[in-house]
Amino acid sequence: MNEKILYVRLPCNPIFPIGVVYLSDHIHKVFPEIEQKIFDLGTIPPLDFNTSLDRCIDEFQPTLLVFSWRDIQIYAPVGGRGGNPLQNAFEFYYAKNPLVKLKGALGGLKVTTAYYGELWRNEGLIRRGLTRARKYNPQARAVVGGGAVSVFYEQLQKQLPKGTIVSVGEGEQLLEKLLKGQDFSDERCYIAGETQPRERMIHEQPTPLEKTACNYDYIQTIWSDFDYYLQENDFYIGVQTKRGCPHNCCYCVYTVVEGKQVRINPHDEVVKEMRQLYDRGIRNFWFTDAQFIPAKRFIADAIGLLEKILDSGMTDIHWASYIRADNLNPELCDLMVKTGMNYFEIGITSGSQELVRKMRMGYNLRTVLQNCRDLKTAGFNDIVSVNYSFNVIDETYETIRQTIAYHRELEKIFGADKVEPAIFFIGLQPHTHLEEYAFEKNILKPGYDPMSLMPWTAKKLLWNPEPLGSFFGEVCLQAWKQNPNDFGREVMQILEDKLGCAPLEEALTAPVKKQLAKV
Ligand code: B12
Ligand code: SF4
């Protein structure tokens, strides 16, 4: 059969669909003769999803449908689809005032309806697409993958049409094997209704792959809406420089989705890829790596890449990424500033060294501070978002005071207006150490549904356990009431007003005699 592949990026906020771009680029390099098309529902208004998918399938008549599903979990401290999910949940769970509680319940209902609506809609789009493609090619198949599927692959097996191949992590090798007619059962995948996902499948190492620069001349020929992302100059276009993260942070699943083995894309290829986007007018890049500098031993690599970017003459660009700020040195800081890094996120989670250690995060908070000073000295004068997730394990009033001290020190370094505290509560994810901890502590029972947004389950998945859960609930509600537009800073201020601030030295030292959390 002459294969014709349609890549459908399922509805999503308009984040550049780098996943399907890379997949189609890889397949083109291996099978240049195969006809392909990218269809991005992120650029289509919701009312037109069905009709535009139908039209696309009628015109293209694919034999293989590659559905890419980016995100499912919506807890965030920011306004999301259907409202601010975190605020609604907290109003419902923690408000003392019955009217606020009712508002939270109604808001929560709206968010829940939107959430389940989106799940069913996406499942419906997969079904609809496959049925329609089979009108033209009765043998047509569907493969489903992407970030959301990687996290929730076990839960999705009953929801997808029988015969759908469900993929975890990167999909290049799976698609290649499928198209070659080879056995692909050793890839991280299963077939809905036919095979079962292997036990701990997500923990298997992905098959290594040497990544070359994406060929955007080709991509432009198979994606009619590519220009959508070129027109607005506020999009940060994704470029991947490496895959994998060697760390073990207790709540994080990236390290298993991408694997612990860090695989670096050749610098020349990364620069070649950026250059093609640059020549099309792109000036903002997001290095989509799980971590841009995953460990100290990758500092030299980051320096090498940034030097190449500088040498390439792309001097008016900006870039952003997740940065483990414990892995910097003055030379790297200097290059980061020179190459245009204008935003980064540090996920230290807590400003208490004791808790950071208990969460297995491997950060030395003192080193982070020193490196931030180096970054400032190098001339960094833009925004840094510091991600704090309170109450993960063993939080106490003392560790909160330490986090305040740490945050105030970051403000001293960068300026209070430049440091944005992003207050997250962890959305518990399957296959993490935190999930095991929840089982051990009887907070969750094996067999629970991690995709459920029913209030009784959601309350446990939105990780904020007692005894401090209600305290944080009330602090957050007060912050939304007082200053909803600067929620993070307001939370920090309220916490400081209530609890005070520890001496910085206390935050930076974790007494060794304290027992490490057994997570
Ligand atoms: C970088 C990143 C971001 C950046 C994106 C910047 C940008 N401009 O691109 C920022 C910080 C903005 C971001 C934001 C969010 N993100 Co984010 N992000 C990531 C991260 C680290 C990498 C994503 C990426 O681009 N990877 C590189 C590309 C090449 O990989 P990919 O798209 O996944 O595609 C590969 C595979 O998935 C696979 N694949 C993809 N589609 C298909 C289809 C088939 C059929 C097959 C076989 C394979 C396949 O092959 C591709 C190539 O190898 C992932 C975690 C991770 N390590 O994967 C989370 C992740 C995608 N994000 C996630 C979420 C939830 C969000 C937010 C919604 C968080 C929030 N609550 O606010 C926001 C908002 C996003 C939005 N839609 O509005 C979740 C999604 C899953 C979920 N929990 O629902 C992830 C998986 C993290 C997690 N474990 O929870 N994110
Ligand atoms: S460093 Fe970041 S990506 Fe790596 S395991 Fe920790 S939280 Fe996850």
Side-chain angles (χ1 to χ4, degrees):
M1 173 162 67
N2 277 343
E3 294 282 4
K4 286 174 91 179
I5 311 176
L6 179 65
Y7 298 83
V8 182
R9 207 273 286 257
L10 289 166
C12 182
N13 284 353
I15 282 199
F16 190 72
I18 186 75
V20 290
V21 166
Y22 279 7
L23 288 175
S24 54
D25 175 63
H26 176 78
I27 293 304
H28 179 64
K29 285 169 181 156
V30 184
F31 308 100
E33 70 290 353
I34 290 184
E35 217 182 315
Q36 306 194 93
K37 188 178 173 71
I38 294 177
F39 179 60
D40 176 14
L41 283 160
T43 63
I44 306 282
L47 285 178
D48 300 338
F49 287 160
N50 285 340
T51 47
S52 54
L53 179 65
D54 289 353
R55 204 175 318 120
C56 178
I57 289 177
D58 293 345
E59 278 166 24
F60 189 64
Q61 305 186 4
T63 58
L64 184 66
L65 290 138
V66 174
F67 288 99
S68 185
W69 192 337
R70 190 188 187 281
D71 47 46
I72 283 182
Q73 226 170 18
I74 48 171
Y75 294 129
V78 290
R81 299 165 290 222
N84 179 332
L86 187 67
Q87 182 173 1
N88 286 319
F90 272 34
E91 282 176 349
F92 178 59
Y93 296 136
Y94 303 114
K96 294 215 168 85
N97 179 333
L99 283 177
V100 178
K101 214 175 180 65
L102 180 66
K103 179 174 158 261
L106 293 174
L109 192 65
K110 210 169 109 199
V111 171
T112 310
T113 329
Y115 171 80
Y116 283 107
E118 283 183 23
L119 278 183
W120 294 327
R121 182 205 58 209
N122 282 6
E123 288 155 17
L125 285 165
I126 295 170
R127 243 170 249 286
R128 186 182 184 104
L130 187 59
T131 311
R132 195 134 188 133
R134 284 189 173 154
K135 268 179 39 185
Y136 304 101
N137 297 295
Q139 306 302 324
R141 293 194 81 168
V143 198
V144 181
V149 179
S150 297
V151 178
F152 298 110
Y153 66 97
E154 285 164 321
Q155 287 68 41
L156 286 169
Q157 51 186 317
K158 295 193 196 75
Q159 274 88 312
L160 296 169
K162 189 168 178 291
T164 305
I165 303 165
V166 184
S167 161
V168 173
E170 53 207 71
E172 283 87 344
Q173 302 288 346
L174 167 63
L175 292 184
E176 198 182 315
K177 286 186 181 170
L178 178 66
L179 291 163
K180 283 184 177 155
Q182 290 174 349
D183 176 18
F184 53 82
S185 56
D186 55 338
E187 291 296 323
R188 296 194 291 175
C189 67
Y190 69 90
I191 305 176
E194 292 177 21
T195 61
Q196 290 288 319
R198 288 182 294 277
E199 191 74 20
R200 291 175 59 82
M201 189 171 81
I202 194 172
H203 294 274
E204 294 167 15
Q205 286 298 318
T207 317
L209 169 81
E210 173 93 342
K211 169 94 174 62
T212 55
C214 177
N215 176 352
Y216 275 103
D217 285 340
Y218 170 68
I219 295 299
Q220 206 151 14
T221 64
I222 63 165
W223 183 15
S224 54
D225 287 333
F226 179 41
D227 283 357
Y228 177 93
Y229 294 92
L230 303 181
Q231 282 152 9
E232 304 284 332
N233 49 16
D234 59 342
F235 280 121
Y236 277 72
I237 303 294
V239 172
Q240 202 176 36
T241 82
K242 62 186 75 58
R243 290 181 177 177
C245 175
H247 291 279
N248 244 329
C249 305
C250 71
Y251 52 77
C252 179
V253 77
Y254 299 10
T255 173
V256 281
V257 171
E258 294 194 14
K260 293 205 185 304
Q261 185 82 41
V262 177
R263 293 151 293 145
I264 294 170
N265 300 339
H267 297 162
D268 287 331
E269 297 297 318
V270 176
V271 175
K272 222 156 102 189
E273 182 169 318
M274 290 173 73
R275 166 59 74 179
Q276 295 179 56
L277 292 162
Y278 184 89
D279 289 344
R280 288 170 168 81
I282 294 300
R283 293 295 178 268
N284 294 330
F285 298 91
W286 188 292
F287 294 135
T288 60
D289 313 354
Q291 287 294 342
F292 183 60
I293 319 149
K296 291 226 165 22
R297 61 182 184 280
F298 299 104
I299 291 181
D301 164 74
I303 290 179
L305 174 62
L306 295 182
E307 275 172 345
K308 289 241 155 112
I309 292 176
L310 209 57
D311 292 347
S312 75
M314 294 185 279
T315 47
D316 56 344
I317 61 165
H318 286 127
W319 62 270
S321 190
Y322 289 125
I323 301 283
R324 271 195 70 114
D326 50 343
N327 303 324
L328 305 180
N329 65 22
E331 186 190 359
L332 180 53
C333 290
D334 194 48
L335 275 164
M336 287 164 121
V337 175
K338 280 198 183 123
T339 48
M341 181 181 78
N342 70 339
Y343 176 80
F344 71 103
E345 294 195 14
I346 335 182
I348 51 172
T349 307
S350 166
S352 159
Q353 184 66 60
E354 186 186 345
L355 286 194
V356 164
R357 190 175 287 176
K358 285 185 177 178
M359 291 185 283
R360 298 184 171 193
M361 304 195 53
Y363 271 108
N364 180 321
L365 290 183
R366 199 185 295 275
T367 312
V368 172
L369 282 183
Q370 186 47 48
N371 293 347
C372 286
R373 287 186 195 106
D374 288 345
L375 204 50
K376 182 69 188 173
T377 310
F380 182 79
N381 207 17
D382 285 294
I383 302 291
V384 44
S385 166
V386 190
N387 297 356
Y388 295 112
S389 294
F390 286 107
N391 207 12
V392 178
I393 31 176
D394 290 357
E395 187 89 75
T396 61
Y397 290 139
E398 199 42 52
T399 56
I400 301 170
R401 276 193 282 272
Q402 292 171 6
T403 298
I404 305 289
Y406 197 81
H407 185 70
R408 296 297 178 227
E409 189 61 24
L410 284 172
E411 288 183 334
K412 271 189 213 148
I413 296 172
F414 291 113
D417 56 327
K418 296 287 196 277
V419 188
E420 280 178 358
I423 312 290
F424 284 89
F425 284 83
I426 299 286
L428 189 117
Q429 297 199 331
H431 312 290
T432 56
H433 296 298
L434 194 61
E435 184 192 52
E436 281 169 34
Y437 176 83
F439 291 153
E440 273 173 26
K441 296 267 167 189
N442 268 329
I443 298 173
L444 286 170
K445 296 220 173 343
Y448 78 103
D449 177 6
M451 275 172 67
S452 169
L453 214 70
M454 289 300 147
W456 46 93
T457 316
K459 187 163 184 193
K460 293 174 182 168
L461 299 184
L462 178 56
W463 191 260
N464 184 29
E466 297 301 339
L468 283 183
S470 309
F471 169 74
F472 280 113
E474 280 162 32
V475 168
C476 290
L477 291 181
Q478 192 182 336
W480 276 307
K481 201 164 151 206
Q482 286 171 195
N483 197 354
N485 295 326
D486 205 356
F487 172 71
R489 286 193 181 84
E490 195 65 23
V491 167
M492 293 311 238
Q493 194 52 56
I494 297 170
L495 288 172
E496 185 166 3
D497 293 346
K498 280 185 190 290
L499 305 174
C501 178
L504 179 63
E505 198 47 38
E506 225 171 71
L508 300 180
T509 34
V512 185
K513 65 177 175 0
K514 293 232 167 115
Q515 201 204 330
L516 299 188
K518 190 170 162 288
V519 289

